[in-house]
Amino acid sequence: MKNFLAPPAFKPEAEPGPKTDARYRALRWQVFLGIFIGYAGFYIVRKNFSMAIPALGPLGFDKTELSIVLSMNAIAYGFSKFVMASISDRSNARRFLPLGLVLAALSMAFMIVPVQCIGAAHKTAAIVMMAVLNFLVGWFNGMGWPPCGRVMTHWFSIKERGTWMSFWNCAHNVGGALVGPMSAYGATWFGSWFYGTNEKMYFLIGTYAFPAAVAILVAIIAYCLIRDTPQSCGLPSIEKWSGHAAQNYSEKDEKAISVGQIFKTVLSNKLLWYIAFANAFVYMVRYGCLDWAPTLLTESGQDLKNAGWAYFAYEIAAIPGTIFCGWLSDHVFHGRRALPTMIFMALVGLVIFIYSQNYSNFNVVVGCLIAIGFLIYGPVMLIGVQALDLAPKNAAGTAAGLTGFMGYVLGTAVLANIVIGWVADNWGWQPTFYLLIGACLVAILFMALTYNAEKYLAEDHRK
């Protein structure tokens, strides 16, 4: 496996000229398309268990048991995004990403087994197997972001990375949006092939098998498109080709280093810890608003259909907001990430305050959720980009993995789910809103600690 994943050797560098430039540009579009399609594929087989829960209830499984299975995915993903990133930094992205996607797809497909072959008659065994499989789904999904980050640092310069990553980041919206239709149509098209007239079991095909098959096809396409580094294709480094480099860039960063060196480099970088803690509070706001919006709305008298549309509006608004934020960071702030993140988080805090004063008014709430969705995903994306900027290229995936770990484990599981749930349950919604506004301020504070480290980018622009 070590040899299979080893980065490809550098090829002799092509002579500079129009032909080399044209090939460089073409390959950049090709690898970008590869990581966009590949990353979207991970979201086809990530949170499918949520779609299966309504159909599992009539088969004899209750919500408390299923919630345990559901939680395994987020916990595994948070840890994997950090641990697997250290392996990704020393691996061929062209192979690492498709391998993770195939393993996630197979784990998802096997979710059929505990339902069909074990069932509620042996509930404990079925739940344990579901939990293990959903843990594996989350773990292998953690192999998606790091190789994409590796590709970004090698093929796109620091002055343009924000824009390219803002478009790439929309891949998860595309993949996530496909899960619902695939579940419905997969069950309709293929359910009878496997279960005849037993329609209660059709969901197993639509929710698990059909998306898994599509994800494996996506993995093959991604393998055909992705290339690890420009040097492996006989091209110069992106710093040499573009003329733009991070302040800490060194040609030594092009070579893989040991896992111990990667962790030492990342964990000793105080700037990475600042943005990792900032990311935890950004994720607290992101999921604190998203996950609790349906509950708040239904408790305020709205029906579930209206709550669902509000949820939908929040996610859709993320696409233009992410792209706009990435464009601003490159073209207005000249590659700086801290300042636009701080501005967007301040605006999020303002919108949450308006939300807190009008949460019984459905129209105002939807407007606020659209605004929060538009504003919050830019900082989510930019912190990931900043992690790539602040770390050496041969440790970039692990750096982004650290921010992801803090975002999902501390920010989502602890702060957004447990803390906000407890505060809302014991103190009500108004203190919850103040808690979210406080999270915006703490995120701004941590980002401010990295402001000086990015000043050279603006100075370079003025020269």
Side-chain angles (χ1 to χ4, degrees), residues 82-275:
F82 182 47
V83 174
M84 298 304 287
S86 64
I87 301 174
S88 172
D89 280 329
R90 306 177 69 250
S91 300
N92 183 349
R94 186 185 185 189
R95 293 180 175 178
F96 192 87
L97 184 148
L99 175 63
L101 184 49
V102 169
L103 292 173
L106 292 175
S107 300
M108 183 63 72
F110 271 94
M111 292 286 281
I112 294 173
V113 174
V115 181
Q116 181 177 331
C117 301
I118 301 176
H122 304 282
K123 191 180 290 188
T124 301
I127 290 294
V128 168
M129 189 172 184
M130 286 185 203
V132 170
L133 287 168
N134 210 28
F135 183 93
L136 291 175
V137 169
W139 187 268
F140 292 131
N141 259 275
M143 296 175 68
W145 207 106
C148 294
R150 175 179 171 84
V151 166
M152 278 289 174
T153 59
H154 281 281
W155 286 95
F156 302 94
S157 75
I158 192 169
K159 290 282 190 175
E160 61 185 353
R161 209 173 284 157
T163 303
W164 283 93
M165 282 202 71
S166 68
F167 280 96
W168 168 79
N169 200 62
C170 296
H172 81 265
N173 298 103
V174 173
L178 290 173
V179 173
M182 290 178 73
S183 297
Y185 286 104
T188 302
W189 293 339
F190 307 112
S192 61
W193 291 14
F194 296 89
Y195 298 108
T197 59
N198 187 6
E199 295 185 6
K200 288 196 302 183
M201 305 295 279
Y202 285 9
F203 80 96
L204 293 173
I205 302 302
T207 305
Y208 298 140
F210 181 49
V214 173
I216 290 172
L217 176 61
V218 169
I220 294 170
I221 296 171
Y223 176 80
C224 294
L225 292 173
I226 295 171
R227 298 294 182 271
D228 188 55
T229 63
Q231 296 93 320
S232 68
C233 300
L235 296 169
S237 70
I238 186 61
E239 287 77 11
K240 184 176 180 180
W241 185 72
S242 69
H244 300 300
Q247 194 172 37
N248 63 350
Y249 173 72
S250 167
E251 288 190 8
K252 295 185 295 183
D253 299 341
E254 302 291 345
K255 300 292 184 180
I257 56 178
S258 70
V259 174
Q261 288 175 302
I262 290 173
F263 279 119
K264 181 179 179 180
T265 299
V266 170
L267 298 179
S268 63
N269 188 329
K270 65 180 181 181
L271 295 174
L272 288 173
W273 280 106
Y274 293 154
I275 66 171

